[in-house]
Amino acid sequence: MSRSRDKVWVRAKVLPDGEPMTIYGREAWCLRRLIEAGERGCTPIEQPAPRWSAYVHDLKHKFGLVIDTVHEAHTGPYAGSHARYVLRSTVVILEDSDMARAAA
């Protein structure tokens, strides 16, 4: 089986009239998490991944999505702050790698 068939991707568009775009890899994974989270958003604490800020940066700057970054304090032995990312663009997934694999 080809590795490209295993790669995560989504074909999505911003409503109401955005052009379809294909997003691959961790950025596709991140977009799925943001859509699923809705208004509550996502944090790297709740959805661990190595480079959340980079994925969000790419979704914002390469694909033009509106994503808010909300800084939240946290306590504990490593007290500090973390980001919560909230997708503000209305995005619909037209097709994704899961659908394509299921149809194959």
Side-chain angles (χ1 to χ4, degrees):
M1 180 181 284
S2 157
R3 289 202 46 88
S4 63
R5 292 185 78 185
D6 294 335
K7 190 159 189 162
V8 173
W9 57 271
V10 297
R11 185 134 175 90
K13 75 178 213 169
V14 176
L15 296 179
D17 55 3
E19 291 294 316
M21 57 189 151
T22 304
I23 303 170
Y24 293 93
R26 285 288 191 165
E27 286 81 9
W29 172 88
C30 180
L31 178 57
R32 284 181 181 167
R33 301 293 80 76
L34 289 167
I35 291 170
E36 290 168 5
E39 283 295 315
R40 82 178 177 282
C42 294
T43 72
I45 292 170
E46 299 163 350
Q47 297 282 331
R51 300 192 57 216
W52 259 96
S53 59
Y55 313 144
V56 168
H57 180 272
D58 287 349
L59 290 173
K60 290 168 79 171
H61 296 282
K62 289 183 183 177
F63 299 101
L65 301 181
V66 177
I67 302 170
D68 285 344
T69 303
V70 179
H71 295 279
E72 299 177 338
H74 60 262
T75 59
Y78 303 103
S81 67
H82 60 269
R84 179 173 298 277
Y85 301 106
V86 182
L87 179 64
R88 298 298 183 196
S89 297
T90 303
V91 179
V92 62
I93 294 179
L94 305 170
E95 183 182 16
D96 66 16
S97 50
D98 291 343
M99 291 177 206
R101 278 193 285 274

